[in-house]
Structure formats: C-alpha cells, structure tokens
Amino acid sequence: MALQSSADERGQRRHLHHESDVVIVGAGILGCALAVALGRQGRSVLLLERSLKEPDRIVGELLQPGGVYALERLGLRDCLEGIDAIPVHGYEVIYYGQGVEIPYPESLDDPARRRPQGRSFHHGRFIQKLREAAKRTPNVTVIETTVTDLVKNGWTGQILGVQSQTKSKPDYYFGTLTVVADGYSSKFRKQYIKHQPVSRSKFWGLELIDAELPRPRHGHVVLGDSAPVLLYQIGTHETRALVDIPENLPSASLQNGGVKAHLRNVVLPGLPKSVKPSFEAALDKGALRSMPNSWLPPTTNKTPGMIILGDAMNMRHPLTGGGMTVAFNDVVLLSELLSPETVSDLGDTKLVLQQMSKFHWRRKHLTSVINILAQALYSLFAANDPQLRALQRGCFRYFQMGGQCKDGPVGLLAGIIRQPLVLFYHFFAVALYSIWIMIKTSALVQLPLTLLGSAAVFWKACVVIFPYIFSEIKR
C-alpha cells in the first residue's frame, strides 16, 4: 500500500506540478526506450514530444541484430510485432552487376549456431509501438508539448528542467535530471557541444511497391559509377530505396534536370534488372524525400543536470544502418550506470557526471566500431578518385573470399563484434588486398608506376580511417 501511495503521489506531481526525477525531451527511438528503462527502475519520468502523431521518415528503418538484442534486454522486443516487420538475414553487395551474399555470422553463444536476424520496418509504426510501451510503463507520463528552452540555475549553471509551449500556452517541466534526445536537428546541441554535424551528401528516398529484390530478406548495397544505393524491404509490399547524392553533383544540378533526372539517367541504369520497373514507377509517381547524411563525433556530457544523447550527441552515415543499434545499446548502458543501486539520488551532480564519463568511454566498444565503420565504408563505396576506387574493388574482392573476410566485417556492422581492433585489422587487410590486386593485374613494365600507385592507395586508406579513429579517442 505504501509503494502504491508513493507511486500515486509521484504521478500527481508529474501531472499537477510537472515535477519528476527525469525529464526526457524527445519521444523518439532513444527517448522512449530510456523512459521505459528508467520508469521500470522506479524513477519518475516525464517524456515530452512536440507531436505524438506517427512520424514519416526515410531512415531509421533497419535494426541490426545487435540492436534487436539490446531491445530484448530492455524488455521491448514485442515492439517489433504487429508492424509488418521483415526479418533481415544479412546483405547482398552488388558491384557493377556482380553480387556477393554476406549473411550475418553464426552466433557462438547459441548451441544450435543459428544466425542472428535484424528487422526492417516502417519507422513510424515502430516509433508508435515504443510510445505505447512508454505510456504503459509505471512511473512514466508522456506529454505532447513543444520544448523551447532549458531552465538553468543562474548561479550554478545547473539545468533544472525545460520551458515549453503546450497548445500555444507557456509551460514548464522540472526534473532532477534533464535528458535531451531531440534528434539530428537538435535545437540545444549548439549551446552545449563544441562539435557540429558535418554533412556532405543526402539520401534521397523512394518507396518501391512490390519490388523484386535479387536476394529477399537481405539489405542490398548497389555499387557502380555513382554513389551507393541501398535497397531493403520495409513491409510485405514496400521496399525502401535510398540513393546517396553528394553535394554539388553535376548530374543532379538544376541545369541537368535536378535530382529526378540524376535518378533516371545515372542511377536507374545501374540497378538490378528486377528492381528497375518498381524504381521507375516510384520515380514517375514523384514522391521524393531527402535526409542529410551527417557525421558528429561523440562528446562527454559535462553539463550539470543535463545529458545529451542520441543523434543530438552522436551521428554517423546511415549507410550501415547502425543508428538505432547505437541508441538502444546506449540506453542499456546508461540505465545500468544510473541505476538506483549505483546512483540513489540523481541530484548528486558530481556522481552523475562521473558516471557520464564512464558512459563516454564504455560505449566505445560498440559505438566507435559502428561510427568508424560507417564513415570508412561510405568513403570506399562512394569512391570518387582512383585510390578509393581501388579500395572499393579490393573490398568487394575481399568479401568474395568468404569465411572471416565476410563474417568479420558484417559482424562489426551488425553490432555483434564489439572490438575496435577487429575493425582495424579488416580495414587494413582490405587495403593490402587492394594493393595485391593492383600488382597482380598490372604488366611487368608498369611495375614501378604500380608500386607508386600502391603507396598512394595505402596512404589514402590511412587518410580515410585515422581521422575517425582520432575523433573517437577525444573526450
């Protein structure tokens, strides 16, 4: 009875006085999952979202096996049910019309050695399932309101909560801890994080109807003369096509007919034959949408009373579909570090900041792998100079060798292998194999030039990966 009375009292404080242990800004992937995790630990949580309507986005539609596993640990696996989600068994990489299957590696923890699965789905349907789970969770109150500012103690700088607009009326919500998870276009990032997102390309998305994919229940990466194209099924009849278009691409300029002309004249001819009819039909329909492909290295949270998480704090190119996997694993780790057994009072700012420092470094076992891999793979797959094209060819031939040459890279991409040194090993194995292919396929009289070219390829590999490695070891 005492526990029930306490819960009722805290519920009243959330509804009447807008007070809680934690205020979370943003009921997206991370915000919903964190609200559920903290609410189940007994924390009083206010989850604020400017619109509770089903979102309609062209990314956040593929959850890697490492993300599915984190979802299970959070007790939210059922959110994948009832949304027409499609099992994903791995990838098919198509290089100038030649394909190689890259299935997710066998699970060493499973006695039956079954291969793990990812899931692909309509983003909005999945978000609504997560929001429903948050609404059902004891100690959590979900409110539709637009957060406009943070409330700060003028003397100490401590964040005390947020100011918002609810149905055009000013409102305030207070929490011992405020979590900002308002996504890639965060309105609060600039004030508290020195790094800002860098975007050099956009994904342009189409929804294909009844597309015939070369390898069903696999994500497809199509490589050719243009930047990479992603294809993956998101429903029984729907397939998402994402086309990367770099900034200032001549073939997508207004003078040459714009993005639609680029898709029709450059991208369409390089697609698998079975996909072309549905892609052309979607193009004729004209429902084109875009999202910036951003890079934002992670930063340690140092502001008292506030934590910035999710895409507001850390982003990578969506080529590898790692964003949601990072988010769910961050929630698992954060809920452990801030559990009531470890941090009994979230008002203990010194202890919370110590735990956030631990969070910054402990998350790197997974997130640094996904961050670096996404950026490095994009550099290779969007190759725009001879050295990168040599690395791209070497990467595809490396996959063709099979065994660990496939299992290692896809295990990293899937969030299953969480060892940065494994990523380092495979990346430079690809670089050396690319050099070997150059030497093997060149004439003897060209050997001096080939050796010079090989040195340039190795240097390019270093230039690609080391800046991202260095960004991950900063605070």
Side-chain angles (χ1 to χ4, degrees), residues 228-267:
V229 178
L230 297 186
L231 302 165
Y232 51 91
Q233 195 174 350
I234 56 174
T236 302
H237 298 285
E238 303 85 29
T239 293
R240 175 67 68 208
L242 293 175
V243 181
D244 186 86
I245 300 184
E247 289 181 346
N248 304 316
L249 188 68
S251 58
S253 66
L254 288 176
Q255 297 94 314
N256 290 314
V259 169
K260 187 172 279 192
H262 171 80
L263 295 177
R264 193 179 299 278
N265 301 328
V266 178
V267 176

Side-chain angles (χ1 to χ4, degrees), residues 5 14 43 59 62 79 106 139 175 191 194 198 209 246 249 253 279 315 339 360-361 375 418 422 424 468:
S5 176
R14 290 194 301 275
R43 306 287 195 190
V59 293
L62 195 154
C79 291
E106 293 178 350
N139 307 310
Q191 298 170 249
K194 63 179 181 179
V198 175
I209 303 300
L249 188 68
S253 66
F279 188 92
M315 287 186 280
S339 68
H360 177 76
W361 294 109
Q375 298 304 119
R418 307 183 177 203
V422 175
F424 190 84
Y468 299 118

Side-chain angles (χ1 to χ4, degrees), residues 287-303:
L288 272 172
R289 289 180 296 158
S290 67
M291 285 281 289
N293 297 324
S294 301
W295 161 248
L296 176 65
T299 303
T300 307
N301 282 277
K302 297 180 180 180
T303 305

Side-chain angles (χ1 to χ4, degrees), residues 68 115 117 258 265 340 350:
V68 174
R115 295 182 184 271
Q117 295 181 0
N265 301 328
K350 184 178 179 181

Side-chain angles (χ1 to χ4, degrees), residues 277-333:
S278 57
F279 188 92
E280 193 164 19
L283 201 52
D284 291 338
K285 190 176 178 182
L288 272 172
R289 289 180 296 158
S290 67
M291 285 281 289
N293 297 324
S294 301
W295 161 248
L296 176 65
T299 303
T300 307
N301 282 277
K302 297 180 180 180
T303 305
M306 184 187 72
I307 301 172
I308 300 181
L309 294 172
D311 284 353
M313 183 269 287
N314 181 206
M315 287 186 280
R316 77 292 307 154
H317 197 286
L319 174 71
T320 56
M324 291 188 293
T325 296
V326 168
F328 288 133
N329 279 277
D330 277 354
V331 172
V332 170
L333 177 57

Side-chain angles (χ1 to χ4, degrees), residues 35-208:
V36 171
L38 297 180
R40 288 175 179 172
Q41 290 179 343
R43 306 287 195 190
S44 178
V45 180
L46 282 164
L47 178 59
L48 312 181
E49 170 60 40
R50 64 184 173 88
S51 174
L52 292 173
K53 294 178 182 177
E54 183 176 312
D56 185 13
R57 293 181 62 192
I58 61 168
V59 293
E61 297 173 317
L62 195 154
L63 184 62
Q64 299 288 0
V68 174
Y69 176 63
L71 204 61
E72 290 174 351
R73 291 187 63 183
L74 293 167
L76 291 169
R77 179 68 164 72
D78 60 326
C79 291
L80 293 172
E81 306 301 327
I83 59 172
D84 196 22
I86 304 298
V88 179
H89 301 298
Y91 281 82
E92 174 84 358
V93 177
I94 301 171
Y95 177 74
Y96 288 94
Q98 188 177 6
V100 60
E101 182 191 8
I102 309 177
Y104 293 129
E106 293 178 350
S107 175
L108 299 178
D109 298 328
D110 185 349
R113 302 297 291 272
R114 288 172 294 195
R115 295 182 184 271
Q117 295 181 0
R119 286 290 185 276
S120 54
F121 39 71
H122 287 270
H123 175 83
R125 296 176 189 174
F126 183 51
I127 287 289
Q128 293 304 88
K129 281 282 191 175
L130 290 171
R131 288 174 178 173
E132 290 167 13
K135 290 175 182 177
R136 292 194 305 267
T137 303
N139 307 310
V140 176
T141 300
V142 182
I143 298 173
E144 189 171 68
T145 186
T146 301
V147 175
T148 56
D149 205 353
L150 299 174
V151 178
K152 184 190 297 186
N153 184 313
W155 294 99
T156 65
Q158 179 100 1
I159 302 300
L160 306 176
V162 301
Q163 181 179 348
S164 72
Q165 289 278 332
T166 306
K167 297 179 180 178
S168 301
K169 294 181 180 179
D171 220 338
Y172 293 87
Y173 294 88
F174 297 97
T176 310
L177 184 65
T178 299
V179 176
V180 174
D182 59 341
Y184 74 94
S185 58
S186 172
K187 66 175 70 173
F188 305 110
R189 178 194 296 123
K190 192 174 289 186
Q191 298 170 249
Y192 298 98
I193 293 180
K194 63 179 181 179
H195 302 293
Q196 294 305 308
V198 175
S199 177
R200 295 191 177 94
S201 71
K202 287 183 178 180
F203 259 150
W204 288 82
L206 287 167
E207 188 174 295
L208 315 185

